[in-house]
Amino acid sequence: MYHYLRNRRNQRHFPLPFIENFLPTKHCNWPFSTFTVQTPNANPNLEAVPSNFHAHSPQRPNLLSTHNLTSTHPAAPSLDKSPPFDQNTLNDTISSNKIITSYIRSGDLSSALRVFGNMTVKTTVTWNAMLAGYSRKPGKLTEAQKLFDQIPEKDTVSYNIMLAGYVQNSDMETVWSFFNSMPSKDIASWNTMISGFAQKGAMAKARELFLAMPEKNGVTWSAMISGYVECGALELAEEFFEFAAVKSVVAWTAMISGYMKFGKIEKAERLFKEMPVKNLVTWNAMIAGYVENCRAEDGLKIFRIMLRYGIRPNHSSLSSVLLGCSELSALQLGKQVHQLVCKSSLRDDTTACTSLISMYCKCGVLDDAWKLFLETKSKDIVSWNAMISGYAQHGAGEKALHLFEEMRGEGIKPDWITFVAVLLACNHAGLVDIGVRYFDSMVKDYGVEPRPDHYTCMVDLLGRAGKLVEAVDLIKKMPFKPHSAIFGTLLGACRIHKNLELAEFAAQNLLNLDPQSAAGYVQLANVYAATNKWDHVARVRCSMKDNKVVKTPGYSWIEIKNTVHEFRSGDRVHPELASIHEKLNELEKKMKLAGYVPDLESALHDVGEEQKEQLLLWHSEKLAIAFGLIAVPYGTPIRVFKNLRVCGDCHRAIKYISAIERREIIVRDTVRFHHFMGGCCSCGDYW
């Protein structure tokens, strides 16, 4: 391969380095279909069944008479009773061919077979259409083989359709044997083979065929590039992309997906800007890539740009956008996406409805999620899991468990994700004994092997309940090596219960597994601070500095009129800061009159009490809530989101604020949702 590519390099008449300035981009205003390794076809922009088989068949019509079909499989044609050929017969045959192709594309193989059986004259195109219908349908390979053997005059298209059927439904040894038996091969034949090996991850064999292939086209290069991307061999994909004689939109998109997959966002952005033509899959790759790389805001921005170009989103686009809305808690955009779904063919799609349910749950609108869940006509296990998880995240443990039992009553078998949600529900509701019973029943009653996520939930369940020794015993009994999240969870429980000995044990194990874990250092420092061991706090902070570990800064945000307002503790940049401080000072006086006493243990700095109170008053969630009280109309819930766990003082203060202002305040932190109303929180102070 190296020599092949080196020879191509010597034939170039233009410089190799990428152009510094981005080229103008052409945008097409309609959705495209694209080639994928999973569906190897000669032309990636055509359906598996070509709309006009004449374009690929021999020029002569090959008109053949057959008996009508009365059995499930086509009977062998009778060539001895061919009726006289005339124009009417040809027109009838062409019309029937179109009907068969239409039925096959819609997945109605039975109707296509009835038309096929009633035809008095069949061309090779007719046989190929039926063959494509059988070969592309899972579990119909045997019928496809029988039909293939009965075709009177097979052409290259016949062999290619059968070859593609073998690739999709058989092992590659069988495929290889059939390929070698073909009397003639065209580019489509070679592309199908290369795509098949790439699909199986056998890139060495795919490359061998690539080098032996007498003539290559854009599909060939795309298959190799896509295959290497899927296998994780990004450097080889880059090499092929650089030297590709024809760079199709599929090749460009595959490289963008590969760069995003490996976190090379800048390279993906550069290719996206350089692309001469983009299709819907390209835009989807960028949107999904941003969201998967924790840059959901950029993903939503590029989605809006895509809409402005008039490109209609599909299920993949909307799923990525809804995930981005969930991460950013961008409820307004999520509602707009919901409207798009309702106006599209996806309104009854189970996956689209499930994505919407998850979005509403993660944006804190549990009632809308439940309403949509009830309206979903066909619920699968993912739908049930999304709703159970939603109740669990919002602390509605009993509702989550009731829904789990209802799911079982519907005959749907729970999977490992279901039990993560169930254990999470028990955890947030403090249902320790019930959680232990569900954990024990996973293998015994449902055949679900516990995974690290289940053990993490159990350690959290036991730890929050103060059963720290039992939590440590469970960690020691795990059938696999504990991961860092296990000890991080234990450390968090130690902070709640101020257990220094176990906190140091958990922190040491956590930092051994993940030396750069800022959470490990911070949680341990918090335990020391809560017990006024400020010399130990200083030592931990020095250790962080020596190891170049940077603490994730805490911030909160609130969405108002499609604009996200972000606040950091002690914020000094928001344009409404003066009004926010005035509101907070007013609230502080009213709260203290109502009995509020600042929780100084939540101020993790060795400073005076008055300064600690000021630091607490300017915590990011309080700033966001104060702004919400100013900007959000009365009667509308105030929804605030935080990237870290809400502190104890803020939790106490927000209860007072909800009663004083008579407002519903919903706060989501990294652990769960808190619904504050009338001086109470939905968590019951168990969090």
Side-chain angles (χ1 to χ4, degrees):
M1 186 63 209
Y2 170 77
H3 295 295
Y4 175 83
L5 296 177
R6 185 180 63 181
N7 291 336
R8 289 198 56 83
R9 177 182 292 149
N10 293 336
Q11 295 171 9
R12 285 176 176 264
H13 300 290
F14 48 89
L16 285 175
F18 287 106
I19 300 172
E20 294 294 329
N21 297 322
F22 295 138
L23 298 173
T25 303
K26 299 177 183 177
H27 297 273
C28 296
N29 295 336
W30 61 86
F32 294 78
S33 59
T34 64
F35 169 87
T36 60
V37 170
Q38 286 72 21
T39 309
N41 294 307
N43 188 336
N45 294 317
L46 290 179
E47 298 282 344
V49 183
S51 60
N52 183 356
F53 281 96
H54 291 291
H56 303 286
S57 300
Q59 292 183 355
R60 63 191 186 91
N62 291 339
L63 290 169
L64 304 166
S65 169
T66 66
H67 296 298
N68 290 347
L69 292 184
T70 56
S71 60
T72 304
H73 306 301
S78 173
L79 300 179
D80 297 330
K81 298 180 180 180
S82 298
F85 167 65
D86 56 30
Q87 187 62 40
N88 289 333
T89 303
L90 176 60
N91 291 337
D92 290 343
T93 301
I94 293 173
S95 176
S96 297
N97 288 347
K98 290 180 179 179
I99 294 171
I100 289 173
T101 301
S102 177
Y103 277 132
I104 288 173
R105 284 181 171 171
S106 65
D108 189 354
L109 195 55
S110 298
S111 296
L113 187 59
R114 278 198 302 273
V115 176
F116 180 84
N118 289 325
M119 291 176 67
T120 56
V121 175
K122 300 178 176 69
T123 65
T124 302
V125 174
T126 316
W127 288 91
N128 286 347
M130 284 304 305
L131 180 63
Y134 276 110
S135 65
R136 70 188 294 187
K137 203 171 185 69
K140 294 289 185 180
L141 184 60
T142 301
E143 289 88 339
Q145 289 170 328
K146 291 179 180 178
L147 185 62
F148 176 78
D149 290 339
Q150 295 177 66
I151 298 177
E153 296 189 24
K154 304 177 184 67
D155 60 7
T156 305
V157 176
S158 312
Y159 280 94
N160 285 342
I161 293 171
M162 196 63 224
L163 182 65
Y166 278 123
V167 167
Q168 293 176 21
N169 299 285
S170 187
D171 59 88
M172 289 310 293
E173 288 185 9
T174 303
V175 175
W176 181 248
S177 175
F178 183 83
F179 178 73
N180 287 327
S181 71
M182 290 175 61
S184 64
K185 304 175 183 68
D186 59 9
I187 290 181
S189 314
W190 288 87
N191 284 342
T192 300
M193 286 300 297
I194 290 172
S195 299
F197 280 116
Q199 175 187 341
K200 306 290 185 182
M203 290 309 298
K205 192 67 179 176
R207 184 174 58 187
E208 179 183 326
L209 281 172
F210 175 87
L211 294 173
M213 190 173 177
E215 182 183 353
K216 303 165 182 63
N217 63 7
V219 176
T220 320
W221 289 94
S222 297
M224 293 299 297
I225 294 165
S226 300
Y228 278 123
V229 167
E230 288 297 317
C231 291
L234 192 58
E235 290 183 1
L236 286 171
E238 286 179 313
E239 188 177 357
F240 270 80
F241 183 76
E242 179 186 353
F243 290 101
V246 181
K247 290 183 175 70
S248 70
V249 66
V250 181
W252 287 86
T253 303
M255 287 306 306
I256 288 172
S257 298
Y259 283 136
M260 284 297 193
K261 180 179 178 181
F262 290 94
K264 299 179 182 293
I265 300 175
E266 291 182 0
K267 287 189 173 183
E269 290 172 334
R270 187 194 69 201
L271 279 191
F272 184 74
K273 291 177 181 178
E274 290 178 352
M275 283 184 71
V277 176
K278 301 173 179 66
N279 65 13
L280 177 59
V281 182
T282 314
W283 289 90
N284 287 349
M286 289 297 295
I287 296 168
Y290 277 129
V291 173
E292 290 165 4
N293 282 282
C294 302
R295 286 178 53 175
E297 189 171 354
D298 290 326
L300 300 189
K301 284 179 182 177
I302 202 167
F303 174 71
R304 291 189 179 100
I305 294 171
M306 184 185 87
L307 294 180
R308 284 202 293 270
Y309 276 109
I311 299 174
R312 297 181 62 183
N314 64 1
H315 171 263
S316 179
S317 323
L318 298 177
S319 293
S320 296
V321 169
L322 288 172
L323 183 58
C325 291
S326 300
E327 291 184 9
L328 293 174
S329 305
L331 178 60
Q332 295 308 312
L333 179 59
K335 288 182 176 180
Q336 292 170 17
V337 173
H338 189 176
Q339 291 176 353
L340 285 174
V341 171
C342 290
K343 294 175 182 178
S344 72
S345 59
L346 297 171
R347 59 184 176 275
D348 295 324
D349 182 79
T350 301
T351 304
C353 291
T354 301
S355 297
L356 285 166
I357 290 168
S358 181
M359 182 275 296
Y360 279 121
C361 286
K362 291 177 180 178
C363 286
V365 193
L366 203 56
D367 289 343
D368 285 357
W370 175 243
K371 181 181 178 182
L372 190 59
F373 178 79
L374 293 176
E375 292 173 353
T376 303
K377 295 179 181 178
S378 179
K379 302 179 185 70
D380 58 13
I381 182 64
V382 184
S383 308
W384 288 91
N385 287 348
M387 199 63 236
I388 294 171
S389 296
Y391 278 131
Q393 290 168 350
H394 286 261
E398 292 183 0
K399 288 184 177 179
L401 298 182
H402 176 76
L403 195 60
F404 171 73
E405 295 300 332
E406 186 179 330
M407 183 190 80
R408 289 182 57 216
E410 294 286 335
I412 298 176
K413 184 180 178 181
D415 60 11
W416 71 274
I417 297 175
T418 315
F419 279 103
V420 170
V422 167
L423 295 177
L424 194 65
C426 295
N427 184 8
H428 290 327
L431 305 173
V432 181
D433 294 338
I434 295 175
V436 171
R437 286 204 297 271
Y438 274 120
F439 181 75
D440 291 339
S441 71
M442 282 173 54
V443 176
K444 182 175 62 177
D445 298 334
Y446 302 98
V448 177
E449 291 292 335
R451 300 190 182 194
D453 288 348
H454 301 114
Y455 279 96
T456 302
C457 286
M458 288 303 298
V459 170
D460 201 20
L461 177 69
L462 295 169
R464 286 179 189 277
K467 299 186 176 185
L468 296 172
V469 175
E470 289 92 329
V472 173
D473 288 341
L474 182 64
I475 293 173
K476 292 178 179 178
K477 293 176 182 177
M478 285 173 57
F480 34 74
K481 185 178 179 180
H483 56 15
S484 59
I486 291 281
F487 291 110
T489 301
L490 178 63
L491 182 54
C494 292
R495 181 190 59 78
I496 295 171
H497 298 286
K498 300 178 183 178
N499 189 315
L500 276 176
E501 182 181 354
L502 284 181
E504 290 173 339
F505 162 78
Q508 185 62 53
N509 280 279
L510 172 58
L511 295 175
N512 285 342
L513 291 169
D514 184 7
Q516 296 299 307
S517 171
Y521 288 101
V522 172
Q523 289 274 41
L524 183 59
N526 290 352
V527 176
Y528 287 137
T531 54
N532 292 317
K533 292 184 179 295
W534 296 107
D535 56 333
H536 287 66
V537 173
R539 190 181 66 198
V540 171
R541 287 176 177 164
C542 285
S543 181
M544 286 181 69
K545 187 176 181 180
D546 293 341
N547 290 298
K548 298 180 179 179
V549 176
V550 180
K551 176 187 173 183
T552 303
Y555 61 90
S556 301
W557 66 96
I558 182 171
E559 182 187 8
I560 298 174
K561 294 181 180 178
N562 279 326
T563 301
V564 175
H565 297 261
E566 185 179 302
F567 298 88
R568 296 183 184 273
S569 293
D571 196 293
R572 298 182 183 276
V573 297
H574 196 277
E576 300 292 328
L577 200 59
S579 300
I580 292 170
H581 283 172
E582 183 181 347
K583 185 67 177 178
L584 282 175
N585 291 332
E586 173 194 324
L587 284 171
E588 185 183 32
K589 292 176 184 177
K590 292 181 178 179
M591 286 191 297
K592 286 185 175 180
L593 286 174
Y596 163 73
V597 178
D599 181 7
L600 299 184
E601 286 186 3
S602 297
L604 304 174
H605 296 276
D606 189 12
V607 295
E609 288 191 6
E610 186 175 342
Q611 193 173 352
K612 282 187 177 182
E613 287 191 25
Q614 187 65 66
L615 290 171
L616 289 173
L617 188 63
W618 288 353
H619 270 193
S620 65
E621 51 265 61
K622 290 192 182 84
L623 294 170
I625 289 171
F627 182 60
L629 291 170
I630 295 169
V632 177
Y634 186 80
T636 302
I638 296 169
R639 305 176 194 277
V640 171
F641 306 88
K642 187 173 182 180
N643 71 324
L644 300 176
R645 193 170 184 268
V646 65
C647 80
D649 179 73
C650 285
H651 191 270
R652 180 184 301 177
I654 299 169
K655 288 196 294 182
Y656 278 95
I657 293 171
S658 70
I660 292 167
E661 295 290 321
R662 297 180 181 179
R663 299 292 294 266
E664 180 183 1
I665 302 171
I666 301 170
V667 178
R668 187 190 81 179
D669 62 14
T670 53
V671 176
R672 59 173 296 157
F673 277 89
H674 299 265
H675 293 251
F676 298 91
M677 176 75 84
C680 298
C681 179
S682 59
C683 73
D685 295 336
Y686 186 85
W687 53 286

